[in-house]
Amino acid sequence: MDGLELSDEQLCQRVAARVPGAFDALVERYQARAYRIAWSVLRDREDARDCSQEAFLKLHDGAGSFAGQARFSTWFYRILVNCCLDHKRRGRGWLKLVRPAHEGRDGEGAAGALEQLAGPAEDPADRLEAEGRLARVWAAVGDLSPQQRAVVMLQCREGLATGEIAAILDLSEATVRVHLHRALGTLRKRLGSAT
């Protein structure tokens, strides 16, 4: 069975057992997402690359500590977000989450609410206008508090459930919901003229 047929959890167990190729398979699966999350948090290419690489090193060294009580992605994203927040605490980088308009995707919950702020597009002119509104929405996300930005990004960009976000950010599910509710309320107020 090659690495592409194994679940993330099985690959992590193989990384812990130092099975050749297992770590490379996990890196291949998560490299783009890890960089995207790190860049969204830090807004600096080099810092994002450094933090995502640091997270992979911690994954490699700590794979044996993955207990399987949560999904692998939740465990890994927590490592990654902690690397980014530690990097930020050391005085480098700035937590600002902006989603480019060309990366829009349908979603539910907060993702759907953010997409609704941009509105649907039917023809090219409408689509350009909608993309402009979506860009303004994600620029406004950058003005939210760090916790609110992280919650919005993890739900809208990564499609994670409230429980997974709570585990990643070490918050209660109720706190995640409060951050999300407040973030959407703030965005609606700031973007009232754009909706």
Side-chain angles (χ1 to χ4, degrees):
M1 186 178 266
D2 76 18
L4 296 177
E5 296 172 359
L6 297 173
S7 71
D8 296 339
E9 292 76 13
Q10 291 169 320
L11 280 173
C12 188
Q13 290 171 349
R14 288 181 172 219
V15 171
R18 302 298 188 241
V19 173
F23 179 69
D24 293 338
L26 273 177
V27 170
E28 186 175 324
R29 284 184 190 177
Y30 281 88
Q31 188 170 23
R33 283 181 273 184
Y35 174 80
R36 186 174 63 232
I37 290 170
W39 184 86
S40 294
V41 171
L42 299 168
R43 296 286 290 158
D44 181 272
R45 288 180 179 170
E46 289 182 34
D47 291 347
R49 189 173 18 258
D50 291 347
C51 284
S52 58
Q53 288 175 356
E54 180 182 348
F56 281 116
L57 289 175
K58 288 183 178 190
L59 159 66
H60 185 269
D61 295 341
S65 69
F66 175 64
Q69 295 173 345
R71 288 183 358 181
F72 168 81
S73 59
T74 302
W75 179 76
F76 178 65
Y77 290 156
R78 184 169 187 180
I79 291 171
L80 177 63
V81 168
N82 284 339
C83 286
C84 292
L85 294 176
D86 288 347
H87 183 78
K88 185 180 180 297
R89 278 191 279 270
R90 289 190 302 258
R92 298 187 61 203
W94 181 51
L95 189 62
K96 182 175 181 179
L97 305 172
V98 177
R99 180 179 176 185
H102 68 277
E103 290 186 14
R105 73 176 198 209
D106 293 332
E108 296 180 11
L114 288 176
E115 297 296 333
Q116 285 177 343
L117 288 174
E122 305 238 333
D123 66 37
D126 287 342
R127 181 166 177 78
L128 286 175
E129 182 180 336
E131 287 177 353
R133 283 184 291 200
L134 188 56
R136 287 191 296 277
V137 167
W138 283 101
V141 168
D143 294 331
L144 297 173
S145 73
Q147 290 287 3
Q148 289 174 354
R149 289 190 299 252
V151 168
V152 169
M153 187 272 300
L154 289 170
Q155 186 170 66
C156 297
R157 290 289 310 259
E158 300 305 317
L160 298 180
T162 303
E164 293 172 306
I165 297 168
I168 290 167
L169 298 176
D170 198 22
L171 301 171
S172 70
E173 287 187 47
T175 302
V176 169
R177 286 191 293 272
V178 167
H179 282 309
L180 188 58
H181 176 75
R182 289 181 180 165
L184 291 175
T186 299
L187 291 172
R188 283 187 183 107
K189 287 178 187 173
R190 289 184 186 167
L191 299 167
S193 62
T195 58

